[in-house]
Amino acid sequence: MLTYLIILLDDTSVSFCHADNPRCERRLIPLDVLRQGIRFAMMENLTIQFVYPDYPLPADYASVIESIDHAKIKPTVEAADVWVTDKPFEGEVDVPVVLRITRQELFAQTEEISNLIGHAPRLNIVITDIGAFTDDDFERYRALLADISARVETLTKEGRMPWVSLVTDRMALTKMNNCGAGDSSITLAPNGRFYVCPAFYYEAPEDSIGDLEAGIDIRNRQLYKLEYAPLCRRCDAYQCRRCIWLNRKLTREVNTPSHEQCVVAHLERNASRTLLANIRKANPNFLAETKIEEIDYLDPFEMKREK
Ligand code: SF4
């Protein structure tokens, strides 16, 4: 069910997900398009997420934006509901943080990143080059997840519960919680057209799924749904973003994941399993509803092939 409308306020709005935004020329959403987008969301009962660029918007935009309940995704921490950054931060932050980072940066800064844990209510780490993971990278990622888990475990022993997407999301989930692009969320771009997600707009603006006048028209809409993803619907890496854009980029099918996405998600799943077991040694009822079984594969596709 469609639940969220993401509105890109400018062509240079910050990317908060796997895909980079290559646009550097400003193109502010026209005020009348913004108003129509808000009206559309109200008619369809959608929750709006506004995605900001790194410059201040003209004053008349604020009153339009504030006319409806929403969340602000921003590249600056001031007045943000979610702050997106590409560098480890210093000090305490009182809003959820999205840290976008390449795998090599992540491996090179493991200690700095571990030290961020507990200094923001939530730390979402988004790897921007999942498609480039090699077998060596998978091993390094396994070690990094163990380091991050150790830090989370230490803090839980002190009575705190830090949230770090890579290892704590799966612990708290009892069913799939994926991105939902094209299914539970769509994006309105500054050109007044709808897209599956911001990445689809960055990559091919002609590839829209409708506009404010004609409404939404998603071809083969069922393919964006979990039930029509043969691997994912049987998977229990519930924290996986199941990135539709990455699927299309790496396998040419929106509902078929790449080997890299699956292995990364399963390494996280398995690290969460170990972390959960370790926390339960001291607190047996911790997240009692969660079950994460032991498995002997990292890519559900390989498992299917072996059968
Ligand atoms: S790990 Fe692979 S199969 Fe499982 S949800 Fe993610 S993309 Fe789908």
Side-chain angles (χ1 to χ4, degrees):
M1 192 177 88
L2 199 55
T3 309
Y4 297 103
L5 177 64
I6 297 164
I7 299 186
L8 302 178
L9 293 170
D10 189 275
D11 264 10
T12 62
S13 286
V14 66
S15 172
F16 57 93
C17 208
H18 293 297
D20 291 326
N21 179 0
R23 292 165 192 253
C24 20
E25 223 167 281
R26 291 178 184 178
R27 179 192 188 182
L28 186 60
I29 191 168
L31 210 44
D32 64 315
V33 174
L34 180 59
R35 284 199 188 96
Q36 287 177 58
I38 290 173
R39 188 175 150 74
F40 177 87
M42 287 169 75
M43 304 285 289
E44 300 290 327
N45 203 17
L46 305 179
T47 301
I48 297 185
Q49 297 170 332
F50 291 113
V51 190
Y52 281 70
D54 68 356
Y55 67 91
L57 300 183
D60 44 357
Y61 279 67
S63 61
V64 176
I65 287 170
E66 297 305 331
S67 68
I68 188 163
D69 276 349
H70 64 273
K72 295 182 174 75
I73 301 175
K74 291 184 144 196
T76 51
V77 71
E78 291 78 27
D81 296 303
V82 175
W83 174 35
V84 184
T85 178
D86 57 6
K87 291 185 187 56
F89 56 89
E90 290 183 359
E92 301 290 322
V93 174
D94 62 3
V95 294
V97 176
V98 172
L99 175 63
R100 293 186 73 247
I101 195 160
T102 66
R103 69 199 195 291
Q104 298 301 356
E105 289 166 342
L106 187 59
F107 299 146
Q109 300 175 80
T110 303
E111 198 179 331
E112 290 93 320
I113 290 165
S114 284
N115 287 337
L116 301 179
I117 298 170
H119 293 278
R122 177 175 177 80
L123 180 61
N124 275 5
I125 298 176
V126 176
I127 304 172
T128 54
D129 57 354
I130 283 187
F133 263 77
T134 63
D135 287 348
D136 282 350
D137 293 330
F138 291 140
E139 285 313 308
R140 297 178 78 186
Y141 194 53
R142 192 195 302 268
L144 175 135
L145 292 170
D147 285 347
I148 288 180
S149 298
R151 173 81 180 137
V152 172
E153 195 185 332
T154 302
L155 292 176
T156 58
K157 283 181 182 152
E158 294 168 5
R160 300 172 62 191
M161 184 55 235
W163 292 100
V164 192
S165 59
L166 305 184
V167 294
T168 59
D169 279 6
R170 177 60 186 85
M171 290 200 309
L173 290 169
T174 53
K175 59 180 183 160
M176 277 289 180
N177 183 32
N178 315 129
C179 155
D183 181 22
S184 58
S185 74
I186 54 163
T187 291
L188 177 66
N191 63 2
R193 303 189 71 83
F194 292 116
Y195 294 86
V196 168
C197 77
F200 281 62
Y201 172 59
Y202 305 148
E203 228 172 49
E206 68 283 1
D207 204 2
S208 78
I209 52 167
D211 59 40
L212 285 162
E213 273 162 31
I216 299 166
D217 177 21
I218 306 179
R219 256 180 290 146
N220 295 321
R221 192 167 190 161
Q222 75 280 3
L223 295 182
Y224 297 89
K225 295 183 182 300
L226 181 63
E227 308 88 90
Y228 286 82
L231 287 178
C232 303
R233 72 179 180 216
R234 292 197 189 89
C235 179
D236 77 344
Y238 297 152
Q239 87 297 341
C240 177
R241 299 317 294 145
R242 222 167 65 76
C243 177
I244 299 289
W245 169 78
L246 260 184
N247 288 357
R248 192 180 70 162
K249 184 175 161 169
L250 298 177
T251 71
R252 298 182 186 275
E253 307 270 357
V254 292
N255 63 346
T256 305
S258 64
H259 172 70
E260 293 81 4
Q261 183 165 198
C262 288
V263 175
V264 164
H266 277 78
L267 289 168
E268 294 163 2
R269 173 207 182 277
N270 293 348
S272 305
R273 179 174 184 275
T274 304
L275 176 59
L276 185 61
N278 288 344
I279 294 175
R280 281 181 179 163
K281 284 177 193 162
N283 181 357
N285 291 325
F286 182 74
L287 297 173
E289 288 184 2
T290 304
K291 287 191 182 61
I292 312 178
E293 306 291 348
E294 184 165 16
I295 52 175
D296 60 1
Y297 58 87
L298 289 174
D299 182 346
F301 184 74
E302 298 292 332
M303 187 190 63
K304 222 177 161 206
R305 206 159 48 181
E306 279 164 19
K307 279 190 173 171

